[in-house]
Amino acid sequence: MKALCWHGATDVRVDHVPDPTILNPRDAIVRVTSTAICGSDLHLYNGYIPSMRSGDILGHEFMGEVVEVGREVKNLKTGDRVVVPFPISCGSCFFCGRQEWSLCDNSNPNAVAAEQLWGHSPAGLFGYSHLTGGYAGGQAEYVRVPFADVGPFKIGNGIPDDKVLFLTDIFPTGYQAAEFCNIQEGDTVAVWGCGPVGLFSIASAVMLGAHRVIAIDRFPERLAMARKLDRVETINYEEIGNTLDIVDLLRDITGGRGPDACIDAVGLEAHGVGLEWWYDKAKQSVRSQTGRPIALRQAIMACRKGGTVSIPGVYGGLLDKIPMGSAMNKALTFKMGQTHVHRYLPSLFERIERGDIDPSFIITHRFPLDKAAEAYHIFAQKHDDCVKVVLKT
Amino acid sequence: MATTEMNVKRITRTDHLLSPPEPSGSDEGTNVSGLERTVSVLAGSAVTLYGLRRGGASGLLVSLLGGAALKRGLSGRCDVYAALGVSTAEEGAGRGQGLSLGARRTIDMSAAATVRNSADELYRLWKDPQNLTRFMTFLDRVEQISDTRARWWLNAPVGPVLEFEAEVIDDVAGERIAWRAVEGAMIEHTGEVEFRPAPADRGTEVRLTLHFRPPGGAVGAALLRLFDGAAELKLRGDLKRFKQWVETGEVATTEGQPSGRA
């Protein structure tokens, strides 16, 4: 089959590889019909996530048709149309029992290695480095889905791929980020990053009753997409200045209080302006920190006293100059984590069916899988106002 | 409760040491001799690179372990030595002397996991040695000789197949099984698996403990020392696979999946 393989920083290629096979009784094989490139795939593409190996198949946002099931998979059959959550969850451990699906205790074959780096191991993930299991991803014609009796969510034929594909990750991820904010009547939510996760965080914050959402980015086309949503104002931070300027502005436009909740939908490759930006860039390039936490610093500093900082953005290792003094003295609550996709999938699917939201609004580019390498390049460079790429097999 | 466990653990870790030497007052925090540190650095680098080239889950693990040896060599500090109260960094401990000192000591390691099932059920599963081949990666096969004796074959990725005979020395239904290698075995060790109910019906805490006596000879001792951290991580991995098998009916794997590697 054809599959998009990682061969090194900024080097991905569509290779011919063997077809996947059933390896465990609870596996299924899915023929991929649509798959997307996630912003977090760009962290892999740019070489910032450790434990990648040349030849790894990427992709954790995919859907398709079941073509084979293992002997213990009783709830799926050949021909079923499914969307597949990006965390792999066993459904029977302590964490899955608590609906904390992305913390599954049993799905990461490399859990011991993850413990060395993080203390404990989260769930295995599709196509996202060997620390989270080294599972082959779904930017391919076929993919093996472990614990297929737990993850895949069946969808009828009446609704197009584009509307349901993002149930695999970014829609639930944005929704969870907004839910973490515990939005109360009259609340203002500030969102750093207007990429796909930022846009779904914004849309979800509005759905959950935010009085006002302030979206922060530097790309006019992304800010324009955010502004189309109800109750959203935007800030182009490049026109404002550095962290202190942003914090001053946010304090000022919220009557001196600051946003009630701040969402960092940027993660470890944040951009900024001035000295801070160059400092982080230099430190990251010599690997004395593994992320550039500019958005996170701003979110902490800007958040109102007693507010919530919600972090759907991905971090992998160590960060520098995190204003813990601000966080502690302002009594902030931090909420974060990989998304418990299984928890949100059914209710968000209902919202799509009801017409509350059509997630396909973020798609700007479509390519055949053959052109995936080119698609990564365009997305990484944000050429051609690229916000979200869908690959068709 | 937690305090008791800590004490228990400390006792099992030290009661095999006849008279652990006090660490010397030389470099603070250093407990590995100069020669050994050099060996750790060189071997650690080689193992790290080997692991990275080998790839896969086992390769990643190997490279991490190489990294641990590297760190041990660079820092002159070995956590396992520290836990054992052993030091080879004393004055005049270089030139082989340091190696043979450690060679007579027991190396202890343990791993713990909380599994959802009851202690009785887990005990029963553990009692049948054939089950252990499902999750112990280096365990090739087991042959029961009598009620309390079995012959074991280990097949590690490097080195020869190891064979030894072990006998059960303590067996309390639903609580613990302890065994030891019979006299003259290739791998001289004792081991124990304990099952204790976790609080509030959260399942069972399973603790696996092994005490090794390194085989004689400076080379064997040096090799074992290099991999002492590695072996403990291996033990932890095996216990995780036990938990996966019991809780999900299968052991998580990517072995045999496609990739763009030739």
Side-chain angles (χ1 to χ4, degrees):
Chain A
M1 67 166 182
K2 284 181 284 191
L4 187 279
C5 298
W6 185 94
H7 288 283
T10 69
D11 179 9
V12 293
R13 296 171 226 158
V14 175
D15 292 336
H16 283 275
V17 304
D19 287 353
T21 51
I22 300 275
L23 300 177
N24 263 332
R26 294 171 65 186
D27 289 355
I29 306 294
V30 169
R31 183 179 66 80
V32 177
T33 53
S34 293
T35 174
I37 306 176
C38 182
S40 67
D41 286 331
L42 296 180
H43 302 319
L44 304 172
Y45 179 75
N46 290 325
Y48 289 118
I49 304 285
S51 82
M52 288 296 293
R53 293 185 60 211
S54 179
D56 286 346
I57 300 171
L58 302 188
H60 57 266
E61 298 179 1
F62 58 89
M63 62 178 294
E65 183 193 331
V66 174
V67 293
E68 195 184 348
V69 293
R71 66 169 191 272
E72 292 298 327
V73 181
K74 312 286 188 202
N75 58 327
L76 294 178
K77 59 180 191 309
T78 303
D80 280 346
R81 186 174 179 232
V82 291
V83 294
V84 181
F86 77 92
I88 300 169
S89 313
C90 78
S92 47
C93 69
F94 174 76
F95 298 96
C96 288
R98 293 160 58 101
Q99 299 273 311
E100 293 172 328
W101 305 91
S102 75
L103 304 179
C104 175
D105 237 354
N106 289 323
S107 59
N108 185 356
N110 301 336
V112 172
E115 282 183 355
Q116 298 290 96
L117 187 63
W118 293 326
H120 298 91
S121 171
L125 308 177
F126 288 101
Y128 212 77
S129 91
H130 291 265
L131 278 169
T132 49
Y135 286 100
Q139 286 162 9
E141 290 180 293
Y142 295 90
V143 61
R144 166 192 167 231
V145 178
F147 299 126
D149 52 336
V150 175
F153 182 81
K154 279 192 268 190
I155 304 244
N157 287 321
I159 192 162
D161 281 14
D162 286 356
K163 280 195 176 184
V164 291
L165 174 60
F166 305 131
L167 286 169
T168 57
D169 176 355
I170 51 176
F171 183 19
T173 295
Y175 188 86
Q176 177 178 280
E179 195 187 69
F180 279 166
C181 296
N182 188 23
I183 295 166
Q184 306 293 307
E185 196 183 348
D187 272 2
T188 296
V189 178
V191 180
W192 277 256
C194 296
V197 168
L199 289 167
F200 281 119
S201 300
I202 293 164
S204 301
V206 170
M207 280 198 296
L208 290 171
H211 172 72
R212 180 184 183 197
V213 178
I214 302 167
I216 303 154
D217 204 300
R218 65 185 166 128
F219 293 99
E221 69 277 9
R222 293 183 174 210
L223 291 167
M225 278 176 103
R227 254 196 317 274
K228 276 189 200 150
L229 298 162
D230 208 18
R231 286 174 268 163
V232 178
E233 301 154 44
T234 59
I235 294 174
N236 186 330
Y237 68 79
E238 283 186 334
E239 293 166 4
I240 305 301
N242 63 21
T243 289
L244 290 179
D245 299 325
I246 304 276
V247 172
D248 281 347
L249 176 68
L250 285 169
R251 194 192 301 111
D252 188 56
I253 62 175
T254 53
R257 276 160 63 112
D260 301 278
C262 293
I263 296 176
D264 167 10
V266 178
L268 65 90
E269 288 184 72
H271 290 77
V273 296
L275 202 60
E276 184 186 9
W277 157 240
W278 290 108
Y279 171 83
D280 280 314
K281 204 175 152 163
K283 285 206 74 165
Q284 190 181 37
S285 65
V286 298
R287 296 292 191 267
S288 82
Q289 68 174 348
T290 52
R292 307 188 299 252
I294 299 169
L296 180 60
R297 288 190 198 114
Q298 292 178 359
I300 293 170
M301 291 289 287
C303 193
R304 79 145 159 83
K305 292 182 284 184
T308 299
V309 174
S310 165
I311 312 170
V314 170
Y315 292 92
L318 306 173
L319 303 176
D320 190 20
K321 305 279 186 291
I322 296 301
M324 247 3 246
S326 164
M328 190 276 163
N329 288 288
K330 293 199 297 181
L332 300 184
T333 297
F334 280 43
K335 301 278 275 182
M336 64 192 91
Q338 297 283 4
T339 310
H340 307 303
V341 175
H342 308 54
R343 189 199 291 177
Y344 300 102
L345 220 156
S347 64
L348 293 182
F349 175 65
E350 268 175 37
R351 283 184 185 272
I352 295 169
E353 266 192 318
R354 272 206 309 266
D356 293 357
I357 185 168
D358 176 0
S360 65
F361 79 94
I362 62 163
I363 301 173
T364 54
H365 290 69
R366 287 181 181 82
F367 289 95
L369 179 65
D370 291 303
K371 295 256 165 87
E374 186 187 336
Y376 263 87
H377 180 74
I378 290 170
F379 186 32
Q381 300 302 318
K382 299 184 178 67
H383 284 167
D384 192 29
D385 294 352
C386 184
V387 174
K388 188 70 181 178
V389 180
V390 172
L391 304 168
K392 297 280 184 184
T393 57
Chain B
M1 184 71 185
T3 319
T4 319
E5 294 232 352
M6 288 302 291
N7 289 339
V8 168
K9 185 164 181 180
R10 191 163 301 157
I11 291 161
T12 59
R13 269 181 179 270
T14 52
D15 63 0
H16 298 266
L17 303 170
L18 300 173
S19 52
E22 289 300 313
S24 75
S26 54
D27 288 355
E28 205 164 319
T30 304
N31 61 3
V32 183
S33 73
L35 173 66
E36 229 185 304
R37 287 174 66 174
T38 312
V39 171
S40 280
V41 169
L42 293 176
S45 313
V47 171
T48 305
L49 292 173
Y50 165 76
L52 289 174
R53 272 217 310 279
R54 181 189 157 83
S58 57
L60 181 69
L61 193 58
V62 169
S63 63
L64 281 167
L65 304 176
L70 193 58
K71 184 182 137 211
R72 175 184 189 270
L74 292 171
S75 67
R77 184 171 169 74
C78 173
D79 293 339
V80 174
Y81 279 17
L84 288 168
V86 169
S87 176
T88 56
E90 285 96 328
E91 293 277 321
R95 300 213 143 249
Q97 210 184 325
L99 295 175
S100 61
L101 174 71
R104 283 193 294 272
R105 305 261 160 228
T106 311
I107 290 178
D108 298 355
M109 55 188 85
S110 72
T114 301
V115 185
R116 272 202 145 177
N117 307 48
S118 72
D120 282 335
E121 203 179 341
L122 298 179
Y123 166 86
R124 273 200 306 277
L125 290 170
W126 202 282
K127 191 85 165 98
D128 178 359
Q130 300 309 327
N131 283 335
L132 308 189
T133 58
R134 294 168 186 267
F135 56 88
M136 292 194 149
T137 40
F138 295 166
L139 182 55
D140 197 45
R141 64 196 169 97
V142 191
E143 199 183 285
Q144 199 81 36
I145 301 167
S146 70
D147 273 359
T148 56
R149 281 202 174 203
R151 182 163 287 279
W152 303 70
W153 283 267
L154 298 184
N155 195 359
V158 286
V161 175
L162 301 172
E163 182 188 338
F164 63 90
E165 204 177 305
E167 63 178 343
V168 173
I169 50 174
D170 190 21
D171 186 346
V172 185
E175 286 180 28
R176 75 190 283 262
I177 306 168
W179 65 91
R180 75 167 164 234
V182 299
E183 202 89 9
M186 276 171 87
I187 306 171
E188 215 181 315
H189 78 283
T190 63
E192 175 182 27
V193 59
E194 292 172 285
F195 308 94
R196 293 187 198 172
D201 290 329
R202 287 182 184 193
T204 303
E205 290 173 13
V206 183
R207 179 163 284 107
L208 188 55
T209 316
L210 290 177
H211 315 286
F212 279 102
R213 197 171 288 274
V219 174
L223 270 177
L224 198 73
R225 232 176 251 152
L226 184 64
F227 285 101
D228 54 13
E232 187 157 63
L233 293 183
K234 182 73 197 44
L235 195 69
R236 217 190 281 170
D238 281 347
L239 194 55
K240 280 186 192 303
R241 279 182 286 277
F242 172 64
K243 175 179 155 73
Q244 288 165 8
W245 172 61
V246 174
E247 290 189 338
T248 76
E250 60 188 46
V251 173
T253 186
T254 56
E255 217 60 49
Q257 72 173 9
S259 79
R261 288 180 280 280

